[in-house]
Amino acid sequence: MAVSISSISEELGEIDGQIADIFRALSNGFQKFEKIKDASRQSRQLEDLTGKMRECKRLIKEFDREVKELEHTVDPDTSKILNEKKQSMVKELNSYVALKKQYATNIQSKRVDLFGGPAEGFEEDNGLQASSMTNQQLMDNGHQMMDETDQAIERSKKVVHETINVGTETAAALKAQTEQMSRIVNELDSIHFSIKKASQLVKEIGRQVATDRCIMALLFLIVVGVISIVIVKLVHPNNKDIRDIPGLAPPAPSRRLLWISE
């Protein structure tokens, strides 16, 4: 039983629909291309189809990114279905790319055949013109062609040097950015480690504070109990139900003075 892509993810279903529309447009476009006889119209049609293939390639990449994001949330069977769907899209797109290359080659060969005749005539005219020139004219013409060739070579060298300089500057900039990114990553790792250690330290301090509070509360209760017993003993010294506190002397008995009568 086929599983609908839309039932797995709405975004994947929307991308799948767009890709299917482009594939239908490509199929109809190539069928229309075969009916066109004019080379210029064929070129325009091929450019339009190439733009559709670029858009299809972008959508397939977006489909692949969505599939990778869903790999950890779907079951293996669903992941397999999505990967097979992506591979079928890539295979179909590659078939259209190969067809486009074939038609482009045919158009190029037609252009070569079209301009082949006049080129040969142009060479014959050059040969006739050269045969009518004097030796001095031929030498001057040759020197002029050599100068133009040297100038073209110098321009090519200049372009090459500029390209090399741009490439060198780009490589240096990329290297500097790579080193900066490495430093940022190292600093982030250090910050993460510091935050982790700080969290552990806060937990330890919290446990110690809780323990100290318990001890203080227990000592407070003991002191309150001792003070209570002392007060009761002072108020009721003859009460035998209250035990004496170890280390605390019992209250002294009241003394009476005896008067000796003469």
Side-chain angles (χ1 to χ4, degrees):
M1 180 178 180
V3 178
S4 175
I5 301 298
S6 300
S7 63
I8 301 173
S9 170
E10 293 182 359
E11 294 181 357
L12 287 178
E14 183 178 355
I15 297 172
D16 181 43
Q18 294 176 0
I19 293 174
D21 293 339
I22 293 177
F23 282 152
R24 282 193 294 269
L26 288 173
S27 177
N28 296 331
F30 279 111
Q31 290 177 3
K32 181 180 178 181
F33 179 87
E34 294 176 354
K35 299 177 182 179
I36 299 173
K37 303 301 181 182
D38 184 57
S40 60
R41 291 182 58 193
Q42 286 181 344
S43 298
R44 288 194 296 270
Q45 180 70 8
L46 207 59
E47 289 176 0
D48 182 60
L49 295 173
T50 303
K52 286 183 172 60
M53 284 186 280
R54 290 196 190 99
E55 178 65 15
C56 185
K57 182 178 179 181
R58 184 189 67 80
L59 289 172
I60 291 175
K61 288 183 178 180
E62 186 175 350
F63 185 90
D64 184 46
R65 285 195 296 268
E66 293 292 337
V67 170
K68 289 180 179 179
E69 290 180 358
L70 292 175
E71 282 183 350
H72 302 291
T73 59
V74 297
D75 56 274
D77 294 335
T78 304
S79 179
K80 182 180 178 181
I81 292 172
L82 294 175
N83 287 320
E84 290 177 352
K85 181 66 175 177
K86 182 195 69 175
Q87 291 175 1
S88 67
M89 291 176 179
V90 173
K91 184 177 180 181
E92 187 171 357
L93 178 61
N94 288 335
S95 65
Y96 285 119
V97 171
L99 193 61
K100 175 250 180 183
K101 290 181 179 179
Q102 179 181 352
Y103 285 132
T105 303
N106 293 338
I107 293 174
Q108 188 66 25
S109 62
K110 288 181 181 179
R111 288 179 177 176
V112 171
D113 294 339
L114 180 62
F115 294 103
E120 294 176 357
F122 181 72
E123 291 177 358
E124 292 177 359
D125 292 339
N126 286 338
L128 292 174
Q129 184 178 2
S131 62
S132 63
M133 290 182 180
T134 62
N135 292 333
Q136 184 63 36
Q137 289 175 340
L138 288 173
M139 291 178 63
D140 292 339
N141 192 21
H143 286 303
Q144 183 180 357
M145 292 179 64
M146 291 175 64
D147 292 338
E148 292 176 354
T149 303
D150 291 337
Q151 292 175 3
I153 292 174
E154 291 297 327
R155 288 194 297 269
S156 300
K157 288 181 179 180
K158 184 177 180 181
V159 172
V160 170
H161 286 305
E162 290 177 353
T163 304
I164 293 173
N165 292 333
V166 171
T168 303
E169 293 175 357
T170 304
L174 288 174
K175 183 178 180 181
Q177 291 178 358
T178 302
E179 293 176 353
Q180 184 178 4
M181 290 296 295
S182 299
R183 289 194 298 269
I184 292 173
V185 170
N186 293 333
E187 291 176 359
L188 289 176
D189 291 338
S190 300
I191 292 172
H192 178 71
F193 179 76
S194 299
I195 292 174
K196 186 176 180 181
K197 295 296 290 183
S199 299
Q200 294 177 354
L201 183 59
V202 168
K203 290 179 181 179
E204 290 293 334
I205 293 174
R207 284 195 291 267
Q208 291 179 2
V209 169
T211 303
D212 294 341
R213 287 180 179 176
C214 292
I215 294 173
M216 292 297 293
L218 182 60
L219 291 175
F220 177 75
L221 292 176
I222 293 173
V223 171
V224 170
V226 171
I227 293 173
S228 300
I229 294 172
V230 170
I231 292 172
V232 172
K233 289 292 288 182
L234 292 175
V235 175
H236 303 286
N238 297 323
N239 191 347
K240 301 300 183 179
D241 295 331
I242 302 176
R243 298 181 178 180
D244 296 333
I245 299 175
L248 183 64
S254 61
R255 296 181 179 179
R256 295 180 179 179
L257 297 177
L258 298 177
W259 296 92
I260 301 174
S261 60
E262 292 179 358

